[in-house]
Amino acid sequence: MRKRETIWIAILLVLGVTYYHYFGHKKEKPIVILAAWHPALSGGVMHYVISFTLNDNFKLTKLEVAPVDEDGKVDPATPPSWNLVSESNSAPTRAFAYGQHIHGMKPALANVKPAPLTPGVVYRIMISAGTVNGSADFTARGE
């Protein structure tokens, strides 16, 4: 090869690597969680149900709801109120309610059901979808 051809090949390789570096990576969207309380009528009794909406469809790998202390931190010694994990392939999820079965996920501890939320207590929902994480705080409402 001639010197000129070698230089052009080197320039094209540098341009290709530069393009891939700046534009080739798909940036992962952070998980944004919106919590909303909705009144529901069950057996003639009015109660509230909390639902969570995500900013996109995510294949969830971990979901945890735990109470938050006065310092705004979750105590790792306190067991979570709701804890789900996915071992293989969860369905893309965009919205769900507290305690709802999410396809492809199961309780972190076998046969453990979600604990009732205590009114007035601040909770944090923490969600992972592979390497992407998100969390949001919400306050439990009374029946």
Side-chain angles (χ1 to χ4, degrees):
M1 265 198 262
R2 294 184 185 179
K3 189 175 183 180
R4 177 184 258 179
E5 292 171 339
T6 307
I7 291 173
W8 278 112
I9 290 173
I11 289 172
L12 288 174
L13 280 173
V14 167
L15 287 174
V17 168
T18 304
Y19 178 85
Y20 179 77
H21 176 72
Y22 287 105
F23 303 110
H25 300 291
K26 181 181 176 187
K27 296 199 179 199
E28 295 178 333
K29 235 187 226 187
I31 299 175
V32 178
I33 307 165
L34 300 174
W37 286 96
H38 304 283
L41 190 61
S42 176
V45 178
M46 180 69 74
H47 65 280
Y48 290 94
V49 176
I50 187 162
S51 64
F52 303 99
T53 306
L54 310 178
N55 58 319
D56 202 355
N57 288 322
F58 290 96
K59 290 186 174 188
L60 305 180
T61 53
K62 184 175 183 184
L63 182 149
E64 187 174 335
V65 174
V68 176
D69 62 17
E70 295 82 25
D71 298 333
K73 297 180 181 177
V74 174
D75 182 8
T78 305
S81 303
W82 189 31
N83 194 1
L84 299 176
V85 293
S86 174
E87 289 184 352
S88 60
N89 195 15
S90 65
T93 304
R94 187 175 198 129
F96 54 91
Y98 178 81
Q100 171 186 336
H101 171 72
I102 299 173
H103 186 72
M105 299 190 79
K106 65 179 188 174
L109 299 173
N111 300 322
V112 175
K113 296 186 187 248
L117 299 174
T118 306
V121 173
V122 177
Y123 290 89
R124 180 169 295 148
I125 181 166
M126 298 161 282
I127 295 177
S128 297
T131 59
V132 182
N133 300 308
S135 67
D137 291 353
F138 64 93
T139 304
R141 291 182 73 170
E143 296 295 323

